[in-house]
């Protein structure tokens, strides 16, 4: 099982649609979880952290299920500007491991 | 503007050349990172420095040599690279404590490297 595995995509949705991305991780000791966004030919930027209780930031909702080792990101009322690659990121933490493990990313295109 | 700058933004080099990539962070962070991003592959962590000490080397070939003279600057020295080393090289910084990245990593814009 890959350390961090995401929906392969790509996702093509119309403006206003709701879209959900899923991500699974293999290490049950993982401590921190994030969704990053990467625009074409740009660097990744943090979209939101993912907390155990789930969290919402405007149109974006992140959920964590530790038992199933599963993270999700829901985008409501998609905008053209949401078009990007969404990266699921997991930090195992502990010991001397500073590693943030990135998924391959899921490409989202929002169409007019 | 992310507070992490990288130079050069683009680099073309032959396999016998020696070049260096530079990264500088203005965020007061104590950890800096080099990542490689190739097409259709996830971001690969190459090196981690915490308080100028190298804490992680992810089995990177010796033709890549990092240097961290202080907590704000990070270099990646390149020599005798191969065409498959062509990729986007991203620098990042964060606060870190006891092996845990605190908060987010801030990335620089990257250096797009082409090895001919």
């Amino acid at each position: 099982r890959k350390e961090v595995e995401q929906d392969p995509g790509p996702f093509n949705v119309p403006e206003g649609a709701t879209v959900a991305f899923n991500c699974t991780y293999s290490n049950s000791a993982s401590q921190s979880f994030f969704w990053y966004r990467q625009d074409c030919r740009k660097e990744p930027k943090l979209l939101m952290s993912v907390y155990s209780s789930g969290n919402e930031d405007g149109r974006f909702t992140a959920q964590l299920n530790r038992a199933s080792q599963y993270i999700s990101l829901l985008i409501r009322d998609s905008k053209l500007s949401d078009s990007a690659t969404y990266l699921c990121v997991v930090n195992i933490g502990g010991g001397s491991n500073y590693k943030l493990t990135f998924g391959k990313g899921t490409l989202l295109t929002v169409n007019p | 503007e992310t507070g992490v700058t990288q130079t050069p933004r683009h680099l073309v080099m032959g396999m016998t050349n020696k070049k260096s990539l530079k990264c500088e962070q203005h965020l007061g962070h104590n950890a800096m990172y080099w990542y490689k991003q190739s097409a259709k592959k996830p971001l690969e962590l190459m090196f981690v420095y915490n308080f100028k000490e190298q804490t992680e080397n992810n089995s990177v070939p010796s033709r890549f040599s990092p240097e961290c003279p202080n907590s704000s600057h990070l270099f990646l020295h390149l020599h005798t690279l191969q065409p498959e080393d062509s990729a986007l090289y991203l620098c990042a910084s964060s606060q870190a404590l006891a092996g845990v990245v605190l908060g987010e990593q801030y990335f620089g814009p990257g250096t797009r490297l082409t090895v001919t």
Side-chain angles (χ1 to χ4, degrees):
Chain A
R1 185 177 184 182
K2 292 180 185 171
E3 287 186 291
V4 178
E5 197 152 7
Q6 294 186 239
D7 284 345
F11 285 62
N12 285 282
V13 302
E15 265 189 293
T18 295
V19 61
F21 302 137
N22 301 317
C23 173
T24 57
Y25 58 96
S26 60
N27 191 327
S28 59
S30 300
Q31 297 185 2
S32 306
F33 310 89
F34 309 90
W35 283 101
Y36 275 68
R37 169 195 170 131
Q38 187 171 21
D39 292 297
C40 187
R41 303 187 78 81
K42 298 274 192 170
E43 70 275 19
K45 291 186 179 179
L46 180 69
L47 176 66
M48 58 197 303
S49 302
V50 186
Y51 302 118
S52 296
S53 54
N55 48 301
E56 189 174 307
D57 183 2
R59 297 180 293 108
F60 299 84
T61 301
Q63 298 277 351
L64 167 63
N65 184 323
R66 284 189 185 271
S68 303
Q69 295 178 209
Y70 169 95
I71 307 158
S72 66
L73 177 68
L74 183 76
I75 305 175
R76 290 182 300 278
D77 188 24
S78 301
K79 311 290 184 193
L80 295 177
S81 56
D82 294 334
S83 298
T85 296
Y86 290 83
L87 303 166
C88 175
V89 185
V90 175
N91 180 3
I92 295 172
S96 61
N97 190 336
Y98 294 81
K99 189 174 175 179
L100 284 189
T101 303
F102 286 75
K104 277 191 181 181
T106 302
L107 177 62
L108 170 67
T109 303
V110 181
N111 302 302
Chain B
E1 200 57 48
T2 64
V4 181
T5 58
Q6 288 187 244
T7 55
R9 296 293 304 276
H10 299 271
L11 178 62
V12 179
M13 60 186 287
M15 290 191 284
T16 57
N17 291 158
K18 285 185 182 182
K19 295 285 184 185
S20 295
L21 310 185
K22 179 182 175 182
C23 175
E24 184 173 357
Q25 59 99 358
H26 313 273
L27 300 168
H29 289 158
N30 62 5
M32 295 186 76
Y33 312 77
W34 279 117
Y35 285 89
K36 176 182 177 182
Q37 188 171 38
S38 306
K40 300 191 192 300
K41 285 188 176 182
L43 269 154
E44 300 170 59
L45 180 66
M46 300 174 73
F47 300 105
V48 181
Y49 277 83
N50 185 215
F51 289 111
K52 303 188 297 176
E53 299 293 324
Q54 189 180 125
T55 57
E56 187 123 0
N57 174 341
N58 255 15
S59 304
V60 180
S62 60
R63 56 187 185 269
F64 295 91
S65 172
E67 178 191 357
C68 188
N70 56 61
S71 58
S72 300
H73 293 86
L74 187 64
F75 295 90
L76 188 62
H77 304 299
L78 316 170
H79 65 97
T80 58
L81 294 192
Q82 305 298 311
E84 59 266 27
D85 296 323
S86 299
L88 180 68
Y89 288 85
L90 290 158
C91 173
S93 72
S94 78
Q95 283 299 106
L97 179 65
V100 178
V101 177
L102 302 176
E104 69 178 284
Q105 282 190 349
Y106 289 82
F107 285 83
T111 296
R112 190 158 296 278
L113 173 68
T114 304
V115 181
T116 60

